[in-house]
Structure formats: structure tokens, C-alpha cells
Amino acid sequence: MQVHQKVRMMTSPMDGDGDTIVATNAKRKTKRPPLYKVLLLNDDYTPMEFVVHVLERFFGLNHSQAFEIMLTVHKKGLAVVGVFSHEIAETKVAQVMDCARRHQHPLQCTMEKEE
Ligand code: TYC
């Protein structure tokens, strides 16, 4: 973002009314990489304890944090469980989906670019 700011200085160059124009906060040369939200979706069949286990195992949450997020998903339909780089988010989604498939639960996990 290019932002110009008018600053009073003891030296020139002036812009006519005694203010000096300076450029600040010039465009970043290295853009920060985008971040991705990992979302967990509700369904009617996956056991609550399994969801809590998945949140503890793959997202490093303690039992009460995991239980709280599981309940949010259960009540609201979905919740963000974490925000990661593209590669880490992809890995988390794959780990959850694989674990759910192995246990034959329909649990769904997806990722979405954070704006
Ligand atoms: N709704 C499920 C049940 O009542 C529990 C559940 C919670 C399932 C979160 C998925 O992501 C989920 N057994």
C-alpha cells in the first residue's frame, strides 16, 4: 500500500503551504504468503468423542478446547479449527479425512483461503 503523509519539517521541499511531502509505508517487496482456515463440518453420525479425539490429535488442542470446538460445530454446523500455511492446512485436512475414512465416519474437513 502506498501512503503519502504531509509532515511539517524544518527543511524543504515544501508543497506550498509549508508542509513537506514524504512517502511512507511503501509497497512490501516480499508479500506475506496467504493463510488458510481449516474448517470442520457437522454431520449426524460421527460420534462426538471421535471429533474431540481428532481435534486433540491433529490440532494440538487440550480436551476442553477440543470439546468446546466440537460443540460449536455440532450447534452451528461448522467451525474454524485453525489457520495455517497452504501446505500445513492441506496436511491437516488429509490427516482428518484419512482418520475419519479409516474409522468409517462421515466427518468432513475442508480448507478455505483467509481474506
Ligand atoms: N453431530 C454429531 C453428533 O451428534 C457430532 C459431531 C460434531 C459431528 C462435530 C461432526 O464435526 C462434527 N453425534
Side-chain angles (χ1 to χ4, degrees):
M1 194 207 319
Q2 192 82 31
V3 178
H4 288 93
Q5 194 181 320
K6 286 169 72 167
V7 179
R8 277 199 190 271
M9 294 176 78
M10 298 300 288
T11 56
S12 38
M14 304 291 205
D15 70 349
D17 59 3
D19 295 313
T20 298
I21 308 291
V22 296
T24 55
N25 196 19
K27 194 174 185 182
R28 295 180 64 84
K29 290 198 186 122
T30 53
K31 272 237 220 74
R32 267 188 287 265
L35 291 173
Y36 291 80
K37 298 183 280 192
V38 170
L39 304 160
L40 202 60
L41 309 188
N42 189 36
D43 66 73
D44 293 339
Y45 305 103
T46 304
M48 289 184 172
E49 318 82 74
F50 180 79
V51 177
V52 172
H53 167 76
V54 159
L55 291 170
E56 289 171 346
R57 178 163 174 192
F58 299 119
F59 296 91
L61 302 176
N62 67 36
H63 192 78
S64 94
Q65 294 168 328
F67 195 87
E68 199 171 301
I69 291 181
M70 179 283 295
L71 263 194
T72 301
V73 177
H74 177 70
K75 289 188 209 160
K76 309 239 170 168
L78 85 181
V80 175
V81 298
V83 178
F84 307 96
S85 69
H86 188 272
E87 188 176 3
I88 301 289
E90 246 179 14
T91 301
K92 302 280 180 197
V93 170
Q95 287 172 327
V96 173
M97 294 299 282
D98 188 57
C99 186
R101 183 194 52 76
R102 285 188 282 107
H103 290 83
Q104 302 191 314
H105 295 311
L107 181 63
Q108 294 292 307
C109 184
T110 59
M111 59 192 272
E112 181 180 286
K113 194 171 178 179
E114 190 181 61
E115 293 309 334

